[in-house]
Amino acid sequence: MLRSRGLRLTAPRQLVLEAVYRLRHATPDQIHAEVAGKAAGVNITTVYRTLELLEELELITHAHLSHGAPTYHAVDEHQHAHLVCRGCGSVRELPSPVLDQLAGELLESRGFRLDIGHVALFGLCGECGTSKGAAC
């Protein structure tokens, strides 16, 4: 993909992309920590610029799963929304077909195209919801 756009596949770009795929849902700081373990010379600015480039190339995408930094994950053939537990902080994927009816209704009634990959639903996971207030 990079070469077809006249760009080089540099070592930092490859390391950032591999880290996103390996970590599945990760912030830029988490990605930087993963990359720095393999190549100490890659700084956080390089990670941010690389994430922006990879997102422009539609190889990765981001979602806001908390009040902090965006969380990046790979773009694959299975688009998904996110279930974020407010108790333990876990992030689980929700297959896009679960939201297809809502997406269709929004398109039909309001002309609004839902970007399912950026959807995050917050609540309590099964473990936290049944623990009745106990810490996870």
Side-chain angles (χ1 to χ4, degrees), residues 96-114:
S96 64
V98 174
L99 297 176
D100 282 350
Q101 182 178 350
L102 173 62
E105 288 175 15
L106 289 172
L107 182 60
E108 185 177 318
S109 67
R110 299 177 186 218
F112 185 84
R113 294 188 184 278
L114 181 63

Side-chain angles (χ1 to χ4, degrees), residues 74-118:
V75 170
D76 59 17
E77 67 278 359
H78 303 293
Q79 192 177 29
H80 61 273
H82 305 89
L83 299 176
V84 182
C85 180
R86 290 193 188 273
C88 65
S90 68
V91 177
R92 296 193 175 97
E93 295 179 2
L94 179 67
S96 64
V98 174
L99 297 176
D100 282 350
Q101 182 178 350
L102 173 62
E105 288 175 15
L106 289 172
L107 182 60
E108 185 177 318
S109 67
R110 299 177 186 218
F112 185 84
R113 294 188 184 278
L114 181 63
D115 183 356
I116 292 175
H118 281 86

Side-chain angles (χ1 to χ4, degrees), residues 26-45:
T27 65
D29 286 337
Q30 292 167 326
I31 294 165
H32 177 250
E34 180 81 9
V35 170
K38 295 184 169 119
V42 178
N43 62 39
I44 190 71
T45 303

Side-chain angles (χ1 to χ4, degrees), residues 61-77:
T61 189
H62 77 278
H64 294 275
L65 304 182
S66 68
H67 293 294
T71 301
Y72 289 86
H73 59 280
V75 170
D76 59 17
E77 67 278 359

Side-chain angles (χ1 to χ4, degrees), residues 3-82:
R3 289 185 188 114
S4 71
R5 300 243 180 130
L7 301 168
R8 293 181 313 135
L9 177 60
T10 63
R13 288 174 179 168
Q14 183 170 351
L15 288 170
V16 169
L17 185 59
E18 288 172 356
V20 170
Y21 273 78
R22 189 171 29 264
L23 297 172
R24 299 185 48 86
H25 294 96
T27 65
D29 286 337
Q30 292 167 326
I31 294 165
H32 177 250
E34 180 81 9
V35 170
K38 295 184 169 119
V42 178
N43 62 39
I44 190 71
T45 303
T46 300
V47 170
Y48 273 102
R49 280 195 306 246
T50 302
L51 290 170
E52 287 177 15
L53 173 65
L54 296 173
E55 191 162 25
E56 285 174 25
L57 296 172
E58 298 180 350
L59 295 173
I60 65 172
T61 189
H62 77 278
H64 294 275
L65 304 182
S66 68
H67 293 294
T71 301
Y72 289 86
H73 59 280
V75 170
D76 59 17
E77 67 278 359
H78 303 293
Q79 192 177 29
H80 61 273
H82 305 89

